[in-house]
């Protein structure tokens, strides 16, 4: 009989852990109108890794209306985007080896999708982060905040 009373709490604890587990990923959609469908991303502080899935629901090609998601400290975002212009399309408009870039997806065109997974430990609670598109000029409309919560 004692076994019956032990099983119920164990099952309840396992179920509660699944329900309370942090979602360590986000899906962001982008369009030909230079917009993300999200203006903020929250990374749970319990996440070991975090995944960003990017979809481009537009129709235009990567060389015309390419999109990516780049994460940098907010104080670095504009400079990262500006410096990436010279890197060109083949480098996803990101300067190779730029240590200000915390994570980034590939640059994609309409109808494509991509993702990136990075160590959440690269983010510090209380620091201000921005996610943005590094295609030339897109940061003016395609950006949002990313925070550890």
């Amino acid at each position: 009989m004692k076994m019956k009373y032990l099983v119920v709490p164990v099952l309840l604890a396992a179920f509660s852990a699944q329900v309370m587990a942090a979602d360590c990923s986000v899906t962001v959609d982008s369009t030909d109108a230079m917009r993300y469908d999200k203006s903020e991303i929250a990374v749970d502080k319990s996440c070991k890794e975090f995944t960003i899935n990017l979809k481009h629901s537009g129709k235009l090609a990567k060389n015309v209306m390419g999109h990516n998601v780049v994460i940098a400290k907010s104080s670095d975002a504009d400079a990262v985007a500006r410096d990436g212009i010279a890197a060109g399309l083949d480098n996803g408009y990101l300067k190779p080896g730029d240590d200000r870039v915390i994570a980034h997806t590939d640059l994609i065109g309409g109808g494509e999708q991509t993702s990136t997974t990075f160590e959440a430990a690269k983010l510090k609670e209380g620091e201000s982060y921005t996610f943005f598109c590094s295609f030339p000029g897109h940061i003016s409309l395609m950006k949002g905040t990313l925070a550890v919560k």
Side-chain angles (χ1 to χ4, degrees):
M1 284 306 263
K2 287 184 179 183
M3 183 65 139
K4 216 188 306 185
Y5 296 111
L6 178 62
V7 171
V8 171
V10 169
L11 288 174
L12 284 174
F15 179 73
S16 296
Q18 274 187 329
V19 169
M20 306 228 5
D23 187 3
C24 297
S25 68
V26 66
T27 298
V28 177
D29 189 29
S30 59
T31 68
D32 287 340
M34 287 180 22
R35 298 277 185 216
Y36 290 133
D37 69 340
K38 306 229 177 338
S39 60
E40 58 183 54
I41 296 173
V43 178
D44 192 286
K45 60 185 168 187
S46 69
C47 294
K48 300 279 187 236
E49 293 183 327
F50 193 79
T51 299
I52 296 176
N53 302 298
L54 175 65
K55 294 181 180 181
H56 190 323
S57 61
K59 303 211 181 305
L60 296 173
K62 169 170 71 172
N63 65 324
V64 177
M65 188 59 66
H67 299 315
N68 60 5
V69 173
V70 180
I71 300 169
K73 287 182 179 180
S74 295
S75 59
D76 293 333
D78 286 328
V80 169
R82 188 174 48 252
D83 293 348
I85 293 171
L89 178 66
D90 289 343
N91 290 307
Y93 296 106
L94 288 170
K95 182 174 133 186
D98 191 337
D99 60 0
R100 299 169 296 180
V101 173
I102 295 165
H104 68 89
T105 66
D106 290 336
L107 190 71
I108 58 173
E112 296 180 322
Q113 56 187 21
T114 187
S115 67
T116 188
T117 299
F118 62 95
E119 293 179 29
K122 291 181 175 183
L123 305 170
K124 304 298 179 218
E125 194 170 4
E127 182 71 56
S128 178
Y129 298 99
T130 297
F131 69 95
F132 62 95
C133 179
S134 66
F135 194 95
H138 287 198
I139 192 172
S140 64
L141 296 174
M142 297 184 76
K143 63 182 169 186
T145 60
L146 184 139
V148 178
K149 303 212 179 198

